[in-house]
Amino acid sequence: MSRAEQSEDAPEQAPLSEAAPLPVALILGAAVWPGGMPSPALERRVRHALSLWQAGAVSRLICCGGVGNHPPAESQVMRAMLIEAGVPGEAIGVEIRSKDTISNIGNALAQYPELWKGQVLIVTDGFHAYRARRIAVWFGLDAESASAPDDDIPRGLLMRARLREAGAMVKTTVWMALHH
């Protein structure tokens, strides 16, 4: 339909070339268990990032996380899960050196400086999202969190995770103050 044929009430639509680019999903690491098996937290985060990808809500997926107690690197396990689910390899970035949330985000920025150019969705668990988003903003990112559903986390484990995050937030706040 031509512009002349559009009704007076129809909202003006920007051409596709002017549309805001989709955010990039930065998937934060979580443990890999013996035999290279993803922990439930890692699975939750990857499933949520995959749902964002499948819904067309993100343009790219960047997996973060180095080798923890068990190889391979968390990010390599995430990438394999995403590829198995049908995400093209060229849509997935991998950061393999980080050991914690600060280095997840800092190393991803060093490796993918284009993250500063648009919005980033930090994909993590809900109890971890506030601190992760604060770190991303501290690094200068236009960041929002996209929390994985936590309804499969046993109540006691969720309470322990929230308490651990409270302590980690204090430690992170001190780190930010010392590194400003």
Side-chain angles (χ1 to χ4, degrees):
M1 159 183 351
S2 73
R3 284 190 181 267
E5 295 172 319
Q6 290 179 351
S7 95
E8 299 279 326
D9 301 325
E12 187 78 22
Q13 298 222 357
L16 288 178
S17 62
E18 293 177 22
L22 293 173
V24 172
L26 194 61
I27 313 165
L28 302 187
V32 171
W33 286 0
M37 297 300 298
S39 64
L42 193 68
E43 283 190 44
R44 258 190 319 277
R45 294 172 187 188
V46 171
R47 273 195 319 263
H48 191 59
L50 178 61
S51 72
L52 293 169
W53 171 263
Q54 290 171 333
V58 296
S59 61
R60 187 153 191 225
L61 304 161
I62 298 179
C63 306
C64 298
V67 177
N69 292 331
H70 305 284
E74 298 163 359
S75 57
Q76 291 171 324
V77 172
M78 287 188 258
R79 183 179 194 280
M81 292 170 69
L82 290 166
I83 287 175
E84 185 176 316
V87 178
E90 61 272 9
I92 305 168
V94 178
E95 179 284 310
I96 63 170
R97 297 175 298 134
S98 60
K99 300 288 184 191
D100 57 27
T101 306
I102 293 169
S103 62
N104 277 172
I105 296 168
N107 291 349
L109 279 168
Q111 191 170 337
Y112 301 100
E114 64 271 17
L115 290 171
W116 271 301
K117 296 178 183 172
Q119 188 179 39
V120 176
L121 289 181
I122 306 293
V123 179
T124 190
D125 288 295
F127 58 82
H128 182 231
Y130 176 75
R131 183 169 65 93
R133 189 175 58 253
R134 290 271 320 266
I135 293 167
V137 169
W138 183 88
F139 273 110
L141 290 175
D142 175 10
E144 294 293 329
S145 54
S147 301
D150 62 6
D151 51 355
D152 65 336
I153 303 173
R155 184 179 166 112
L157 185 59
L158 188 57
M159 290 302 291
R160 284 193 302 275
R162 288 177 177 154
L163 287 171
R164 180 189 167 282
E165 268 309 302
M169 188 66 227
V170 170
K171 181 180 173 183
T172 298
T173 300
V174 170
W175 180 87
M176 289 176 180
L178 293 174
H179 291 88
H180 233 293

